[in-house]
Amino acid sequence: MVPTWRLRAAFARRLSAVYGAEVPAYTTLLEVTARINEETVRRDGHPGHLGGLDRVTAERHGAIRVGTPHELHQAATVFAALGMHPVGFYDLRDGPGAVPVVSTAFRPLDAEELERNPFRVFTSLLTPDDRRFFDADLARRLGTFLGRRTLFPPELLTLAARAEDGGGLPDADADRFLALATEAFALSAEPVDRAWYEELSQVSAVAADIGGVTTTHLNHLTPRVLDIDALYRRMTDHGITMIDRIQGPPCWDGPDVLLRQTSFRALAEPRAFREVDGRVTDGTLRVRFGEVEARGIALTRTGRARYDALTAETDHRTADPGGSAADHAATARAVWEAGFPRTERQLAADGLAFFTYAPALTRPRDGRRPPDDLAGLLDHGWLTAHPIVYEDFLPRSAAGIFRSNLTRDTTRDTTRDTTRDADRTAAPYDADRLAAALDRPVHDPFARYADRSFTTLRRARRALGLDLGTTSEESA
Ligand code: OOG
Ligand code: NI
């Protein structure tokens, strides 16, 4: 019997092998990442602080895009077999990098499962009923096209359901399931209908990538690196063109929080096309790329609000379009130094980040009772705090990642944002609508982190003989 987590780890490995064969620059990225991780461990010691080295070495996230709620539901069935569940709702349809999708991330929920293998897949759903992007006629034709295709064969879905029910699969079935699941996300050799793909590209390259072909495919696969600034320089030295900066928090000497990501631009890949006259020709498409990420500590809602405010402040100060990437980095660092705690202890005491807590092994023996507040408990050595890794994504970085790889901007009619004509407005999408399509709950990431933090804090307080009444989500 192959248990769920082994299926997940094997699936991540197989996808990585397929993607490496399809996109050679990804293999270079993996090599450079492994080298940087080794060097970082040698220089700074074992990084167990934010996940063990085994976890980090195997750690990947993928990104896929589907066309209909039905396809999303099926993708969820496959991921559930791998112990990956929908967490978070991301609406990427607004702002300067708007793309016509809403997204969630499938990932393991529990700490032990994450440590075994944290494979996660950022999954986006096309929104053809959003009239700011698609007119009614195009939406109808998209619906017809998408309704005719099958992304996931019935055998795969049957095996997936069995794996979910049984918490794994017998060896032979496991192999078959993994082969079918991997194949579902490989690039297809099926010719692309040139006229249809082009028509959708006029609206959005992402719409064409999703709705212009009869299959789905991995859009990118992302390893985790321990020093993303070093990686960015090294990839540039290798002659690989990176996007102009690292997304997320700046490089600074305070705690690593949330997520920092960067990528190299999409490369031209050979694809077959079917022309209007029926001929099949060779061509290229530029949609798939390589991305790398560094993960830090999960922030509470208050911490996240602080992060968003500092990001807005940085934007404001760097609004001058003539500024270089180096100016941007220096400004961002200055803004953070003025506005963000410099230590993990301060993050914990201010309720800005999530930690697990444990009674200190050697506690004060001065006869005094432990203080009641978290800051006091940490300062006087009663409790130790261990950071919780951020396991999710950032909508702004996601939009930046999408956008950086589009050759052409999305056409979105912004006059339709506020119009009263129901026929022309943004289609309402939220976590509930996504949950209905999935027929599964969409988990709230903050609630997951808070729950874990809370449980350990309550246990630690009980061990110190303190009451449990004063803990709130934000102090956890
Ligand atoms: C997904 C973009 C989001 C990330 O790392 O933020 C993402 C996509 O391009 O389909 O993967
Ligand atoms: Ni990504």
Side-chain angles (χ1 to χ4, degrees), residues 2-11 81-83 112-113 116-117 167:
V2 184
T4 305
W5 83 267
R6 284 198 188 280
L7 289 177
R8 180 168 69 252
F11 178 62
L82 301 162
E112 313 80 68
E113 286 294 311
R116 282 170 163 162
N117 186 292

Side-chain angles (χ1 to χ4, degrees), residues 55 82 137 156 200 247 269 357 389 395 421 441 451:
R55 168 188 156 153
L82 301 162
D137 174 55
L156 171 61
L200 289 172
Q247 320 253 352
E269 287 182 290
Y357 297 95
V389 184
D421 180 350
D451 192 47

Side-chain angles (χ1 to χ4, degrees), residues 252 310 317 333-340 342:
W252 77 316
L310 296 180
R317 291 207 207 164
R333 191 177 310 128
V335 167
W336 275 64
E337 282 168 356
F340 207 74
R342 299 296 285 257

Side-chain angles (χ1 to χ4, degrees), residues 235-271:
M235 288 296 279
T236 308
D237 294 346
H238 274 264
I240 292 181
T241 309
M242 305 297 284
I243 61 171
D244 59 359
R245 59 192 191 84
I246 297 170
Q247 320 253 352
C251 171
W252 77 316
D253 54 14
D256 292 328
V257 298
L258 297 176
L259 179 64
R260 300 181 69 211
Q261 300 178 308
T262 192
S263 59
F264 58 77
R265 290 192 185 283
L267 306 168
E269 287 182 290
R271 298 277 277 269

Side-chain angles (χ1 to χ4, degrees), residues 61-65 92 103 122 124 219-220 222 259 261 289 291 293 393-394 397-399 401-402:
H61 87 246
I64 62 156
R65 304 157 174 185
L92 304 180
S103 316
F122 192 90
S124 300
N219 175 264
H220 60 267
T222 301
L259 179 64
Q261 300 178 308
F289 58 93
E291 180 196 42
E293 67 188 13
F393 293 85
L394 294 172
S397 305
I401 296 288
F402 264 110

